[in-house]
């Protein structure tokens, strides 16, 4: 009895050549042989596919025979030549690294000539710089002389209540005005006056002045405790105010002491600003 199709699918039974058990053994044996042959035929027809590698074509066909041998020989000679050239380059590089550096006689002579030329050029530069420095000094002296040609003093100017303000406000803005407030009865004031006369002859572009306490109408307290006093003006502004300088310099001192004192506070110009004034 044959199985239905569903049973065959579930059980995997082969219904081909199936016969019932009631048939004779001869037919059963022949049926079994037929079934085995069918299964073997199915297995042989369902073999796994064989992998075929992908072929790559480089544009040149491999030659055999005499032509192939000649091509191989040419390729071998080419590689041999390239290797020989690389070896030569490496040897040359090694020789350059290990070789002692030395110069020929001609090269040494050329180096000496070049060194002499460089020294000559350096000497020219030094001469030019010296010339340039002297020229600049002359130009600065001429500028200073032109600037101060009409502003020259050279002595201590006596002030009073009438010209005191004008002596400060109407003066050139570049002029430093140094005023000494004095009293005849104070010993240190006489010392200051003598020193200022010496400094006025040295610093001719500085306006040295003095005014008596009576003309300035100062208080008695100032007369007793403030003299001698030096007030410095520039551009109508007070840039220095030194009260009772005898506490610093004493009652008896020299012109260079007063000069040093004023220079320390920047009240006197530098030497190059007044050294070459045209009188």
């Amino acid at each position: 009895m044959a199985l239905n199709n569903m049973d065959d699918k579930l059980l995997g039974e082969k219904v081909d050549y199936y016969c019932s058990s009631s048939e004779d053994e001869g037919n059963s044996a022949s049926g079994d042989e037929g079934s085995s042959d069918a299964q073997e035929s199915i297995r042989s027809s369902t073999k796994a596919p064989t992998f075929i590698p992908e072929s790559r074509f480089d544009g040149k066909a491999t030659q055999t025979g005499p032509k192939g041998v000649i091509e191989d020989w040419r390729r071998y000679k080419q590689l041999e030549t390239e290797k020989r050239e690389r070896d030569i380059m490496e040897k040359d590089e090694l020789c350059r690294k290990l070789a002692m550096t030395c110069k020929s006689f001609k090269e040494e002579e050329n180096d000496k000539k070049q060194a002499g030329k460089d020294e000559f050029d350096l000497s020219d530069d030094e001469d030019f710089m010296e010339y340039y420095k002297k020229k600049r000094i002359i130009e600065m002296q001429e500028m200073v002389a032109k600037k101060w040609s009409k502003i020259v003093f050279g002595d201590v100017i006596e002030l009073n209540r009438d010209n005191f303000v004008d002596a400060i406000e109407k003066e050139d803005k570049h002029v430093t005005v140094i005023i000494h407030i004095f009293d005849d009865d104070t010993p240190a004031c006489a010392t200051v006056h003598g020193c200022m006369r010496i400094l006025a002859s040295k610093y001719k572009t500085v306006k040295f002045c003095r005014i008596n306490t009576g003309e300035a109408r100062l208080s008695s307290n100032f007369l007793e405790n403030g003299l001698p006093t030096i007030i410095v003006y520039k551009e109508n502004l007070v840039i220095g105010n030194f009260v009772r300088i005898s506490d610093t310099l004493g009652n008896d001192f020299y012109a260079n002491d007063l000069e040093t004192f004023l220079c320390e506070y920047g009240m006197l110009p530098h030497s190059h600003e007044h050294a070459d004034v045209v009188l």
Side-chain angles (χ1 to χ4, degrees), residues 186-248:
T186 304
C189 290
T191 305
V192 172
H193 179 63
C195 294
M196 286 183 63
R197 294 194 64 182
I198 296 174
L199 295 179
S201 63
K202 180 178 181 180
Y203 296 88
K204 298 181 183 297
T205 60
V206 178
K207 188 175 184 179
F208 288 91
C209 309
R210 75 169 186 166
I211 184 171
N212 191 278
T213 55
E215 292 289 336
R217 297 180 180 179
L218 299 175
S219 64
S220 58
N221 184 34
F222 184 84
L223 294 176
E224 294 177 2
N225 302 306
L227 299 180
T229 294
I230 294 179
I231 303 176
V232 184
Y233 295 86
K234 192 169 187 178
E235 297 184 11
N236 298 331
L237 298 176
V238 177
I239 62 173
N241 188 9
F242 308 100
V243 179
R244 198 180 179 90
I245 62 173
S246 57
D247 291 344
T248 303

Side-chain angles (χ1 to χ4, degrees), residues 32-252:
D32 293 338
E33 292 177 358
S35 177
S36 299
D37 294 339
Q39 292 177 2
E40 183 66 24
S41 176
I42 292 172
R43 283 196 297 269
S44 62
S45 63
T46 57
K47 290 182 179 180
T50 303
F51 174 76
I52 301 175
E54 182 181 357
S55 62
R56 296 182 180 179
F57 180 67
D58 58 357
K60 294 182 180 180
T62 304
Q63 297 180 354
T64 60
K67 292 183 178 181
V69 173
I70 294 173
E71 184 66 25
D72 292 341
W73 180 80
R74 288 176 180 174
R75 180 58 180 166
Y76 168 76
K77 297 301 289 184
Q78 180 182 358
L79 295 175
E80 187 180 33
T81 302
E82 293 177 356
K83 183 177 182 302
R84 188 184 306 112
E85 292 176 352
R86 287 197 301 270
D87 293 341
I88 293 173
M89 292 177 62
E90 291 176 357
K91 290 179 180 178
D92 292 342
E93 184 66 23
L94 181 61
C95 290
R96 281 194 295 269
K97 291 181 179 180
L98 299 179
M100 295 179 61
T101 57
C102 59
K103 295 182 180 180
S104 63
F105 176 78
K106 185 176 181 179
E107 292 176 342
E108 291 180 353
E109 290 295 323
N110 291 334
D111 292 343
K112 290 180 180 179
K113 291 180 180 180
Q114 185 63 34
K117 184 178 179 180
D118 294 340
E119 291 178 359
F120 178 75
D121 294 340
L122 181 60
S123 177
D124 288 346
D125 293 341
E126 292 177 354
D127 293 340
F128 173 77
M129 290 303 298
E130 187 67 23
Y131 166 78
Y132 180 75
K133 287 168 60 177
K134 291 181 179 179
K135 183 179 178 181
R136 286 297 300 159
I137 291 174
I138 294 174
E139 290 176 354
M140 292 176 63
Q141 290 175 348
E142 291 177 351
M143 290 175 60
V144 172
K146 184 178 180 180
K147 175 182 176 182
W148 300 107
S149 59
K150 297 181 180 179
I151 307 175
V152 178
F153 304 100
D155 201 357
V156 178
I157 301 173
E158 297 285 343
L159 300 179
N160 54 48
R161 69 185 65 179
D162 297 327
N163 62 1
F164 178 81
V165 177
D166 291 342
I168 299 170
E169 294 182 351
K170 293 184 178 181
E171 192 52 74
D172 187 274
K173 65 179 182 179
H174 298 100
V175 174
T176 301
V177 181
I178 299 178
I179 299 177
H180 169 215
I181 301 176
F182 74 98
D183 182 72
D184 293 332
D185 296 332
T186 304
C189 290
T191 305
V192 172
H193 179 63
C195 294
M196 286 183 63
R197 294 194 64 182
I198 296 174
L199 295 179
S201 63
K202 180 178 181 180
Y203 296 88
K204 298 181 183 297
T205 60
V206 178
K207 188 175 184 179
F208 288 91
C209 309
R210 75 169 186 166
I211 184 171
N212 191 278
T213 55
E215 292 289 336
R217 297 180 180 179
L218 299 175
S219 64
S220 58
N221 184 34
F222 184 84
L223 294 176
E224 294 177 2
N225 302 306
L227 299 180
T229 294
I230 294 179
I231 303 176
V232 184
Y233 295 86
K234 192 169 187 178
E235 297 184 11
N236 298 331
L237 298 176
V238 177
I239 62 173
N241 188 9
F242 308 100
V243 179
R244 198 180 179 90
I245 62 173
S246 57
D247 291 344
T248 303
L249 301 178
N251 291 328
D252 190 12

